[in-house]
Amino acid sequence: EVQLAESGVASVQAGGSLRLSCDVSRVVYASAGWFRQAEGKEREAVATIGMNGDTSYSDSVKGRFTVSRDDAKTTLYLQMDTLKPEDSGMYYCVADPGLAKSRELLILSPGPHGWWGQGTQVTVSA
């Protein structure tokens, strides 16, 4: 089973920054991105990038988070700035082979043929 592998320093104080990385080299994807789930809450989309490099963000992170990938499209990044305690949660790297637009992945989530990473815990302390 192919999985995506996230990595990144996972703890910071409010107002700080973190960068998450995800190895997507083992899949052939159209769009990719990041979802998160806080304890006791539903999973939500955070940021996505489409086949042509278009990006989409949830309202809660717009202006603070930046999704990007390397030129070879093998590594996905999530730069998180001005972090807040409410940004804490499990962050998942995702990819989908059929959804080409970033907005599609943000709204629809990966389909049955998509991929999810194992998740990395991010903790933002007040």
Side-chain angles (χ1 to χ4, degrees):
E1 180 182 345
V2 176
Q3 287 193 333
L4 309 180
E6 303 99 338
S7 63
V9 176
S11 182
V12 71
Q13 288 190 323
S17 297
L18 285 176
R19 189 173 85 153
L20 302 181
S21 301
C22 178
D23 178 3
V24 291
S25 63
R26 298 175 67 188
V27 300
V28 178
Y29 65 94
S31 59
W34 298 88
F35 282 59
R36 70 184 180 189
Q37 186 168 20
E39 189 172 347
K41 295 187 177 181
E42 292 188 358
R43 189 168 57 200
E44 62 173 345
V46 175
T48 56
I49 185 165
M51 180 179 288
N52 294 326
D54 54 295
T55 56
S56 296
Y57 298 90
S58 68
D59 289 342
S60 62
V61 307
K62 199 172 295 183
R64 300 188 298 120
F65 288 15
T66 304
V67 60
S68 64
R69 61 189 177 204
D70 64 342
D71 290 341
K73 301 182 181 180
T74 58
T75 306
L76 186 71
Y77 302 101
L78 183 66
Q79 177 66 39
M80 303 184 287
D81 298 318
T82 320
L83 281 158
K84 305 174 182 179
E86 52 264 42
D87 292 318
S88 297
M90 188 70 78
Y91 281 69
Y92 297 92
C93 172
V94 305
D96 191 276
L99 299 175
K101 299 290 187 182
S102 62
R103 188 70 181 169
E104 293 175 326
L105 183 60
L106 193 78
I107 294 173
L108 299 175
S109 297
H113 301 294
W115 301 275
W116 291 79
Q118 79 282 3
T120 186
Q121 181 66 39
V122 171
T123 301
V124 183
S125 56

